[in-house]
Amino acid sequence: MTAASSELLTVPEVMARLKLGRTKVYDLIRTRRLVSIKVDGCRRIPDTAVRAFIRGQMGEAA
């Protein structure tokens, strides 16, 4: 596993990458369309989960 693939992102970082608002990112997490974990009460999203979400969205659009 490379450092880039194991990176854990904060919700604001995911918001910036996906160009989405906070509510939408939490909605994606709640509906399990975006995988996340909790670390001491803080929500973290693996970089690989963001990439998988983007790939899935591109597949749906095709």
Side-chain angles (χ1 to χ4, degrees):
M1 188 179 288
T2 65
S5 67
S6 63
E7 180 180 7
L8 294 175
L9 305 171
T10 64
V11 169
E13 290 171 329
V14 174
M15 290 167 51
R17 287 192 184 194
L18 297 178
K19 308 285 193 278
L20 295 173
R22 179 181 179 89
T23 302
K24 184 60 179 178
V25 171
Y26 277 109
D27 185 52
L28 292 171
I29 291 168
R30 183 182 56 78
T31 59
R32 296 190 171 126
R33 293 177 64 203
L34 187 60
V35 175
S36 71
I37 61 171
K38 272 190 139 179
V39 178
D40 291 334
C42 298
R43 186 66 60 185
R44 295 293 180 258
I45 301 95
D47 178 64
T48 53
V50 175
R51 291 176 193 210
F53 174 77
I54 293 169
R55 276 193 309 273
Q57 291 300 110
M58 292 176 67
E60 288 178 18

Short mmCIF file of all heavy atoms in Angstrom, two decimals:
data_model
loop_
_atom_site.label_atom_id
_atom_site.label_comp_id
_atom_site.label_asym_id
_atom_site.label_seq_id
_atom_site.Cartn_x
_atom_site.Cartn_y
_atom_site.Cartn_z
N MET A 1 0.84 -1.18 0.00
CA MET A 1 0.00 0.00 0.00
C MET A 1 0.89 1.24 0.00
O MET A 1 1.80 1.36 0.80
CB MET A 1 -0.89 -0.03 1.24
CG MET A 1 -1.93 1.04 1.22
SD MET A 1 -3.01 1.00 2.68
CE MET A 1 -3.97 -0.45 2.35
N THR A 2 0.61 2.17 -0.88
CA THR A 2 1.42 3.38 -0.96
C THR A 2 0.87 4.42 0.00
O THR A 2 -0.26 4.33 0.48
CB THR A 2 1.39 3.97 -2.39
OG1 THR A 2 0.06 4.39 -2.68
CG2 THR A 2 1.87 2.96 -3.41
N ALA A 3 1.68 5.42 0.28
CA ALA A 3 1.25 6.49 1.19
C ALA A 3 0.02 7.20 0.64
O ALA A 3 -0.88 7.55 1.38
CB ALA A 3 2.39 7.47 1.40
N ALA A 4 -0.04 7.43 -0.66
CA ALA A 4 -1.17 8.13 -1.27
C ALA A 4 -2.46 7.34 -1.14
O ALA A 4 -3.52 7.89 -0.90
CB ALA A 4 -0.88 8.43 -2.74
N SER A 5 -2.39 6.03 -1.28
CA SER A 5 -3.61 5.22 -1.23
C SER A 5 -4.11 5.03 0.20
O SER A 5 -5.27 4.69 0.40
CB SER A 5 -3.39 3.88 -1.91
OG SER A 5 -2.47 3.11 -1.18
N SER A 6 -3.26 5.24 1.20
CA SER A 6 -3.68 5.03 2.57
C SER A 6 -3.97 6.35 3.29
O SER A 6 -4.23 6.35 4.48
CB SER A 6 -2.61 4.26 3.33
OG SER A 6 -1.42 5.01 3.38
N GLU A 7 -3.94 7.46 2.56
CA GLU A 7 -4.17 8.76 3.16
C GLU A 7 -5.61 8.89 3.64
O GLU A 7 -6.55 8.55 2.93
CB GLU A 7 -3.85 9.85 2.14
CG GLU A 7 -4.05 11.24 2.67
CD GLU A 7 -3.72 12.31 1.64
OE1 GLU A 7 -3.47 11.98 0.47
OE2 GLU A 7 -3.74 13.47 2.03
N LEU A 8 -5.79 9.40 4.86
CA LEU A 8 -7.12 9.66 5.39
C LEU A 8 -7.41 11.15 5.28
O LEU A 8 -6.61 11.98 5.71
CB LEU A 8 -7.21 9.22 6.85
CG LEU A 8 -7.10 7.73 7.09
CD1 LEU A 8 -7.10 7.44 8.60
CD2 LEU A 8 -8.23 6.97 6.41
N LEU A 9 -8.54 11.47 4.69
CA LEU A 9 -8.91 12.87 4.45
C LEU A 9 -9.99 13.32 5.43
O LEU A 9 -10.82 12.53 5.86
CB LEU A 9 -9.45 13.01 3.03
CG LEU A 9 -8.53 12.54 1.91
CD1 LEU A 9 -9.27 12.53 0.58
CD2 LEU A 9 -7.29 13.40 1.84
N THR A 10 -9.98 14.60 5.73
CA THR A 10 -11.04 15.19 6.54
C THR A 10 -12.23 15.53 5.64
O THR A 10 -12.09 15.57 4.41
CB THR A 10 -10.56 16.48 7.22
OG1 THR A 10 -10.25 17.43 6.20
CG2 THR A 10 -9.35 16.23 8.11
N VAL A 11 -13.37 15.78 6.25
CA VAL A 11 -14.55 16.16 5.46
C VAL A 11 -14.28 17.43 4.66
O VAL A 11 -14.59 17.47 3.46
CB VAL A 11 -15.80 16.29 6.36
CG1 VAL A 11 -16.96 16.93 5.61
CG2 VAL A 11 -16.21 14.92 6.90
N PRO A 12 -13.67 18.48 5.23
CA PRO A 12 -13.37 19.67 4.40
C PRO A 12 -12.46 19.37 3.20
O PRO A 12 -12.61 19.96 2.13
CB PRO A 12 -12.70 20.64 5.39
CG PRO A 12 -13.27 20.25 6.72
CD PRO A 12 -13.41 18.74 6.65
N GLU A 13 -11.50 18.44 3.38
CA GLU A 13 -10.63 18.08 2.26
C GLU A 13 -11.42 17.37 1.17
O GLU A 13 -11.21 17.62 -0.02
CB GLU A 13 -9.48 17.19 2.74
CG GLU A 13 -8.47 17.93 3.59
CD GLU A 13 -7.45 17.03 4.26
OE1 GLU A 13 -7.78 15.86 4.58
OE2 GLU A 13 -6.32 17.50 4.48
N VAL A 14 -12.35 16.50 1.56
CA VAL A 14 -13.20 15.82 0.58
C VAL A 14 -14.12 16.82 -0.10
O VAL A 14 -14.33 16.76 -1.31
CB VAL A 14 -14.00 14.67 1.25
CG1 VAL A 14 -14.99 14.06 0.27
CG2 VAL A 14 -13.05 13.61 1.77
N MET A 15 -14.64 17.77 0.67
CA MET A 15 -15.49 18.82 0.10
C MET A 15 -14.74 19.55 -1.02
O MET A 15 -15.29 19.79 -2.09
CB MET A 15 -15.90 19.82 1.18
CG MET A 15 -16.86 19.29 2.20
SD MET A 15 -17.06 20.35 3.66
CE MET A 15 -17.39 21.94 2.92
N ALA A 16 -13.48 19.88 -0.76
CA ALA A 16 -12.68 20.60 -1.75
C ALA A 16 -12.39 19.73 -2.97
O ALA A 16 -12.47 20.21 -4.11
CB ALA A 16 -11.37 21.07 -1.11
N ARG A 17 -12.07 18.47 -2.75
CA ARG A 17 -11.76 17.57 -3.88
C ARG A 17 -12.96 17.33 -4.77
O ARG A 17 -12.83 17.26 -5.99
CB ARG A 17 -11.22 16.24 -3.38
CG ARG A 17 -9.81 16.35 -2.86
CD ARG A 17 -9.23 14.98 -2.65
NE ARG A 17 -7.90 15.12 -2.05
CZ ARG A 17 -7.04 14.13 -1.99
NH1 ARG A 17 -7.35 12.94 -2.46
NH2 ARG A 17 -5.87 14.31 -1.45
N LEU A 18 -14.14 17.15 -4.14
CA LEU A 18 -15.33 16.84 -4.93
C LEU A 18 -16.14 18.08 -5.31
O LEU A 18 -17.12 17.98 -6.03
CB LEU A 18 -16.24 15.87 -4.13
CG LEU A 18 -15.64 14.50 -3.83
CD1 LEU A 18 -16.62 13.68 -3.00
CD2 LEU A 18 -15.26 13.77 -5.11
N LYS A 19 -15.72 19.23 -4.79
CA LYS A 19 -16.44 20.50 -5.05
C LYS A 19 -17.90 20.38 -4.60
O LYS A 19 -18.82 20.73 -5.31
CB LYS A 19 -16.37 20.89 -6.53
CG LYS A 19 -14.99 20.91 -7.13
CD LYS A 19 -14.21 22.12 -6.67
CE LYS A 19 -12.97 22.35 -7.47
NZ LYS A 19 -11.83 21.54 -7.06
N LEU A 20 -18.08 19.83 -3.39
CA LEU A 20 -19.41 19.64 -2.81
C LEU A 20 -19.46 20.31 -1.45
O LEU A 20 -18.43 20.55 -0.82
CB LEU A 20 -19.71 18.14 -2.63
CG LEU A 20 -19.81 17.29 -3.89
CD1 LEU A 20 -19.94 15.82 -3.52
CD2 LEU A 20 -20.97 17.74 -4.75
N GLY A 21 -20.66 20.57 -1.00
CA GLY A 21 -20.85 21.16 0.32
C GLY A 21 -20.77 20.11 1.42
O GLY A 21 -20.83 18.90 1.18
N ARG A 22 -20.68 20.60 2.64
CA ARG A 22 -20.57 19.75 3.82
C ARG A 22 -21.76 18.80 3.95
O ARG A 22 -21.59 17.60 4.19
CB ARG A 22 -20.45 20.65 5.04
CG ARG A 22 -20.35 19.95 6.36
CD ARG A 22 -20.28 21.00 7.48
NE ARG A 22 -20.20 20.39 8.76
CZ ARG A 22 -19.06 20.03 9.36
NH1 ARG A 22 -17.91 20.23 8.74
NH2 ARG A 22 -19.07 19.45 10.53
N THR A 23 -22.97 19.33 3.78
CA THR A 23 -24.17 18.51 3.91
C THR A 23 -24.17 17.38 2.90
O THR A 23 -24.52 16.24 3.24
CB THR A 23 -25.43 19.38 3.74
OG1 THR A 23 -25.40 20.41 4.74
CG2 THR A 23 -26.69 18.56 3.89
N LYS A 24 -23.78 17.65 1.66
CA LYS A 24 -23.77 16.62 0.62
C LYS A 24 -22.74 15.54 0.93
O LYS A 24 -23.01 14.35 0.74
CB LYS A 24 -23.50 17.24 -0.75
CG LYS A 24 -23.58 16.24 -1.89
CD LYS A 24 -24.96 15.61 -1.96
CE LYS A 24 -25.07 14.63 -3.09
NZ LYS A 24 -26.38 13.99 -3.13
N VAL A 25 -21.58 15.92 1.42
CA VAL A 25 -20.56 14.93 1.76
C VAL A 25 -21.06 14.03 2.89
O VAL A 25 -20.95 12.80 2.81
CB VAL A 25 -19.21 15.60 2.14
CG1 VAL A 25 -18.23 14.57 2.69
CG2 VAL A 25 -18.60 16.29 0.92
N TYR A 26 -21.66 14.61 3.92
CA TYR A 26 -22.20 13.79 5.00
C TYR A 26 -23.37 12.93 4.52
O TYR A 26 -23.55 11.81 4.99
CB TYR A 26 -22.62 14.66 6.19
CG TYR A 26 -21.45 14.98 7.10
CD1 TYR A 26 -20.91 16.26 7.16
CD2 TYR A 26 -20.87 14.00 7.89
CE1 TYR A 26 -19.84 16.55 7.99
CE2 TYR A 26 -19.80 14.27 8.72
CZ TYR A 26 -19.29 15.55 8.76
OH TYR A 26 -18.21 15.83 9.57
N ASP A 27 -24.14 13.42 3.55
CA ASP A 27 -25.22 12.62 2.97
C ASP A 27 -24.64 11.40 2.24
O ASP A 27 -25.17 10.30 2.35
CB ASP A 27 -26.05 13.46 2.02
CG ASP A 27 -27.25 12.71 1.47
OD1 ASP A 27 -28.02 12.15 2.28
OD2 ASP A 27 -27.40 12.67 0.23
N LEU A 28 -23.56 11.59 1.50
CA LEU A 28 -22.90 10.48 0.80
C LEU A 28 -22.37 9.46 1.80
O LEU A 28 -22.44 8.25 1.56
CB LEU A 28 -21.76 11.00 -0.09
CG LEU A 28 -22.19 11.83 -1.29
CD1 LEU A 28 -20.96 12.45 -1.96
CD2 LEU A 28 -22.97 11.00 -2.29
N ILE A 29 -21.85 9.92 2.93
CA ILE A 29 -21.36 9.03 3.97
C ILE A 29 -22.54 8.28 4.60
O ILE A 29 -22.50 7.06 4.78
CB ILE A 29 -20.57 9.82 5.04
CG1 ILE A 29 -19.26 10.34 4.44
CG2 ILE A 29 -20.31 8.96 6.28
CD1 ILE A 29 -18.54 11.36 5.31
N ARG A 30 -23.60 9.01 4.92
CA ARG A 30 -24.77 8.41 5.57
C ARG A 30 -25.41 7.32 4.70
O ARG A 30 -25.83 6.29 5.20
CB ARG A 30 -25.80 9.49 5.87
CG ARG A 30 -27.04 9.01 6.60
CD ARG A 30 -28.04 10.13 6.83
NE ARG A 30 -28.44 10.81 5.61
CZ ARG A 30 -29.32 10.33 4.73
NH1 ARG A 30 -29.89 9.16 4.93
NH2 ARG A 30 -29.63 11.01 3.65
N THR A 31 -25.45 7.56 3.38
CA THR A 31 -26.06 6.60 2.46
C THR A 31 -25.07 5.54 1.99
O THR A 31 -25.37 4.75 1.10
CB THR A 31 -26.67 7.32 1.25
OG1 THR A 31 -25.65 8.07 0.57
CG2 THR A 31 -27.80 8.25 1.67
N ARG A 32 -23.88 5.57 2.57
CA ARG A 32 -22.81 4.60 2.27
C ARG A 32 -22.34 4.62 0.82
O ARG A 32 -21.86 3.62 0.31
CB ARG A 32 -23.23 3.20 2.69
CG ARG A 32 -23.43 3.11 4.19
CD ARG A 32 -23.61 1.69 4.65
NE ARG A 32 -23.58 1.68 6.10
CZ ARG A 32 -24.53 1.14 6.84
NH1 ARG A 32 -25.56 0.56 6.28
NH2 ARG A 32 -24.45 1.18 8.15
N ARG A 33 -22.51 5.75 0.16
CA ARG A 33 -21.97 5.89 -1.19
C ARG A 33 -20.49 6.32 -1.11
O ARG A 33 -19.76 6.22 -2.09
CB ARG A 33 -22.77 6.91 -2.00
CG ARG A 33 -24.19 6.40 -2.27
CD ARG A 33 -25.03 7.39 -2.99
NE ARG A 33 -24.49 7.66 -4.31
CZ ARG A 33 -24.74 8.78 -4.98
NH1 ARG A 33 -25.51 9.71 -4.49
NH2 ARG A 33 -24.21 8.95 -6.18
N LEU A 34 -20.10 6.81 0.07
CA LEU A 34 -18.72 7.21 0.32
C LEU A 34 -18.31 6.57 1.64
O LEU A 34 -18.90 6.83 2.69
CB LEU A 34 -18.62 8.74 0.40
CG LEU A 34 -17.24 9.36 0.50
CD1 LEU A 34 -16.39 9.00 -0.73
CD2 LEU A 34 -17.35 10.86 0.63
N VAL A 35 -17.30 5.71 1.58
CA VAL A 35 -16.84 4.97 2.76
C VAL A 35 -16.07 5.91 3.69
O VAL A 35 -15.29 6.74 3.23
CB VAL A 35 -15.92 3.81 2.32
CG1 VAL A 35 -15.33 3.09 3.52
CG2 VAL A 35 -16.68 2.84 1.44
N SER A 36 -16.33 5.76 4.99
CA SER A 36 -15.59 6.56 5.96
C SER A 36 -15.38 5.76 7.23
O SER A 36 -16.01 4.73 7.44
CB SER A 36 -16.35 7.85 6.28
OG SER A 36 -17.50 7.57 7.03
N ILE A 37 -14.49 6.27 8.07
CA ILE A 37 -14.25 5.68 9.38
C ILE A 37 -14.26 6.79 10.41
O ILE A 37 -14.13 7.97 10.07
CB ILE A 37 -12.91 4.91 9.44
CG1 ILE A 37 -11.74 5.85 9.16
CG2 ILE A 37 -12.90 3.74 8.48
CD1 ILE A 37 -10.38 5.23 9.42
N LYS A 38 -14.42 6.40 11.66
CA LYS A 38 -14.31 7.37 12.75
C LYS A 38 -13.03 7.08 13.52
O LYS A 38 -12.76 5.94 13.89
CB LYS A 38 -15.51 7.27 13.69
CG LYS A 38 -16.66 8.13 13.27
CD LYS A 38 -17.71 8.17 14.34
CE LYS A 38 -18.23 9.59 14.42
NZ LYS A 38 -19.29 9.71 15.43
N VAL A 39 -12.26 8.11 13.76
CA VAL A 39 -11.04 8.02 14.55
C VAL A 39 -11.20 8.97 15.73
O VAL A 39 -11.22 10.19 15.53
CB VAL A 39 -9.79 8.40 13.71
CG1 VAL A 39 -8.54 8.32 14.56
CG2 VAL A 39 -9.67 7.54 12.48
N ASP A 40 -11.41 8.39 16.90
CA ASP A 40 -11.64 9.20 18.12
C ASP A 40 -12.72 10.25 17.90
O ASP A 40 -12.57 11.41 18.27
CB ASP A 40 -10.34 9.87 18.58
CG ASP A 40 -9.33 8.87 19.12
OD1 ASP A 40 -9.76 7.79 19.58
OD2 ASP A 40 -8.12 9.16 19.06
N GLY A 41 -13.81 9.86 17.27
CA GLY A 41 -14.93 10.76 17.06
C GLY A 41 -14.81 11.66 15.84
O GLY A 41 -15.74 12.38 15.52
N CYS A 42 -13.68 11.63 15.16
CA CYS A 42 -13.48 12.45 13.97
C CYS A 42 -13.70 11.60 12.73
O CYS A 42 -13.13 10.51 12.61
CB CYS A 42 -12.06 13.02 13.94
SG CYS A 42 -11.71 14.10 15.33
N ARG A 43 -14.50 12.08 11.80
CA ARG A 43 -14.79 11.36 10.57
C ARG A 43 -13.62 11.50 9.62
O ARG A 43 -13.13 12.61 9.38
CB ARG A 43 -16.07 11.94 9.96
CG ARG A 43 -16.59 11.22 8.77
CD ARG A 43 -17.07 9.85 9.03
NE ARG A 43 -18.15 9.75 9.98
CZ ARG A 43 -18.65 8.59 10.41
NH1 ARG A 43 -18.17 7.45 9.96
NH2 ARG A 43 -19.62 8.57 11.27
N ARG A 44 -13.15 10.38 9.07
CA ARG A 44 -12.06 10.38 8.09
C ARG A 44 -12.47 9.52 6.91
O ARG A 44 -13.10 8.47 7.07
CB ARG A 44 -10.77 9.83 8.70
CG ARG A 44 -10.20 10.69 9.81
CD ARG A 44 -9.73 12.04 9.29
NE ARG A 44 -9.19 12.88 10.34
CZ ARG A 44 -9.83 13.88 10.90
NH1 ARG A 44 -11.06 14.17 10.53
NH2 ARG A 44 -9.28 14.61 11.85
N ILE A 45 -12.09 9.97 5.72
CA ILE A 45 -12.44 9.28 4.48
C ILE A 45 -11.13 8.89 3.78
O ILE A 45 -10.29 9.75 3.50
CB ILE A 45 -13.27 10.19 3.55
CG1 ILE A 45 -14.56 10.63 4.25
CG2 ILE A 45 -13.60 9.48 2.25
CD1 ILE A 45 -14.50 11.94 4.91
N PRO A 46 -10.94 7.59 3.52
CA PRO A 46 -9.73 7.17 2.81
C PRO A 46 -9.70 7.77 1.39
O PRO A 46 -10.74 7.86 0.72
CB PRO A 46 -9.85 5.65 2.74
CG PRO A 46 -10.83 5.28 3.81
CD PRO A 46 -11.77 6.45 3.92
N ASP A 47 -8.53 8.17 0.98
CA ASP A 47 -8.35 8.70 -0.38
C ASP A 47 -8.86 7.69 -1.42
O ASP A 47 -9.47 8.09 -2.41
CB ASP A 47 -6.87 9.01 -0.61
CG ASP A 47 -6.59 9.51 -2.01
OD1 ASP A 47 -7.08 10.59 -2.35
OD2 ASP A 47 -5.90 8.80 -2.76
N THR A 48 -8.66 6.41 -1.15
CA THR A 48 -9.11 5.39 -2.09
C THR A 48 -10.63 5.38 -2.21
O THR A 48 -11.17 5.08 -3.28
CB THR A 48 -8.62 3.99 -1.67
OG1 THR A 48 -9.00 3.76 -0.31
CG2 THR A 48 -7.12 3.87 -1.82
N ALA A 49 -11.34 5.72 -1.13
CA ALA A 49 -12.80 5.78 -1.17
C ALA A 49 -13.27 6.93 -2.05
O ALA A 49 -14.26 6.80 -2.79
CB ALA A 49 -13.36 5.93 0.24
N VAL A 50 -12.57 8.05 -1.99
CA VAL A 50 -12.93 9.20 -2.84
C VAL A 50 -12.70 8.83 -4.31
O VAL A 50 -13.55 9.09 -5.16
CB VAL A 50 -12.10 10.45 -2.46
CG1 VAL A 50 -12.38 11.60 -3.42
CG2 VAL A 50 -12.40 10.86 -1.02
N ARG A 51 -11.58 8.18 -4.59
CA ARG A 51 -11.31 7.76 -5.97
C ARG A 51 -12.35 6.76 -6.47
O ARG A 51 -12.80 6.85 -7.61
CB ARG A 51 -9.91 7.15 -6.06
CG ARG A 51 -8.82 8.16 -5.85
CD ARG A 51 -7.47 7.49 -5.86
NE ARG A 51 -6.46 8.39 -5.35
CZ ARG A 51 -5.22 8.35 -5.73
NH1 ARG A 51 -4.80 7.46 -6.60
NH2 ARG A 51 -4.35 9.20 -5.23
N ALA A 52 -12.74 5.82 -5.61
CA ALA A 52 -13.75 4.83 -5.99
C ALA A 52 -15.09 5.51 -6.26
O ALA A 52 -15.81 5.15 -7.19
CB ALA A 52 -13.90 3.77 -4.90
N PHE A 53 -15.44 6.49 -5.44
CA PHE A 53 -16.69 7.23 -5.65
C PHE A 53 -16.67 7.93 -7.01
O PHE A 53 -17.64 7.86 -7.76
CB PHE A 53 -16.89 8.26 -4.52
CG PHE A 53 -18.07 9.15 -4.76
CD1 PHE A 53 -19.36 8.69 -4.54
CD2 PHE A 53 -17.89 10.44 -5.22
CE1 PHE A 53 -20.46 9.51 -4.77
CE2 PHE A 53 -18.97 11.27 -5.46
CZ PHE A 53 -20.26 10.80 -5.24
N ILE A 54 -15.56 8.58 -7.32
CA ILE A 54 -15.43 9.29 -8.60
C ILE A 54 -15.54 8.29 -9.77
O ILE A 54 -16.26 8.55 -10.74
CB ILE A 54 -14.11 10.08 -8.67
CG1 ILE A 54 -14.16 11.24 -7.65
CG2 ILE A 54 -13.87 10.61 -10.09
CD1 ILE A 54 -12.82 11.93 -7.45
N ARG A 55 -14.85 7.16 -9.66
CA ARG A 55 -14.93 6.14 -10.71
C ARG A 55 -16.37 5.66 -10.89
O ARG A 55 -16.86 5.49 -12.00
CB ARG A 55 -14.03 4.96 -10.38
CG ARG A 55 -12.60 5.14 -10.80
CD ARG A 55 -11.80 3.83 -10.75
NE ARG A 55 -11.92 3.13 -9.49
CZ ARG A 55 -11.15 3.33 -8.42
NH1 ARG A 55 -10.20 4.23 -8.47
NH2 ARG A 55 -11.32 2.64 -7.32
N GLY A 56 -17.07 5.45 -9.78
CA GLY A 56 -18.46 5.01 -9.84
C GLY A 56 -19.35 6.03 -10.50
O GLY A 56 -20.22 5.69 -11.30
N GLN A 57 -19.13 7.29 -10.19
CA GLN A 57 -19.93 8.37 -10.81
C GLN A 57 -19.65 8.45 -12.31
O GLN A 57 -20.56 8.68 -13.08
CB GLN A 57 -19.63 9.70 -10.13
CG GLN A 57 -20.12 9.81 -8.72
CD GLN A 57 -21.63 9.64 -8.64
OE1 GLN A 57 -22.12 8.63 -8.14
NE2 GLN A 57 -22.37 10.59 -9.12
N MET A 58 -18.40 8.26 -12.69
CA MET A 58 -18.05 8.31 -14.11
C MET A 58 -18.69 7.13 -14.84
O MET A 58 -19.14 7.26 -15.97
CB MET A 58 -16.54 8.33 -14.29
CG MET A 58 -15.94 9.63 -13.80
SD MET A 58 -14.14 9.66 -13.87
CE MET A 58 -13.86 9.62 -15.62
N GLY A 59 -18.74 5.96 -14.18
CA GLY A 59 -19.36 4.78 -14.77
C GLY A 59 -20.84 4.97 -14.98
O GLY A 59 -21.40 4.55 -15.98
N GLU A 60 -21.51 5.63 -14.03
CA GLU A 60 -22.95 5.90 -14.15
C GLU A 60 -23.23 6.89 -15.26
O GLU A 60 -24.26 6.81 -15.92
CB GLU A 60 -23.50 6.45 -12.83
CG GLU A 60 -23.59 5.43 -11.73
CD GLU A 60 -24.10 6.04 -10.42
OE1 GLU A 60 -24.69 7.14 -10.47
OE2 GLU A 60 -23.92 5.42 -9.38
N ALA A 61 -22.31 7.83 -15.46
CA ALA A 61 -22.52 8.87 -16.47
C ALA A 61 -22.29 8.35 -17.89
O ALA A 61 -22.79 8.91 -18.85
CB ALA A 61 -21.59 10.05 -16.20
N ALA A 62 -21.52 7.27 -18.02
CA ALA A 62 -21.17 6.75 -19.34
C ALA A 62 -22.31 6.00 -19.99
O ALA A 62 -23.25 5.60 -19.44
CB ALA A 62 -19.96 5.84 -19.25
#
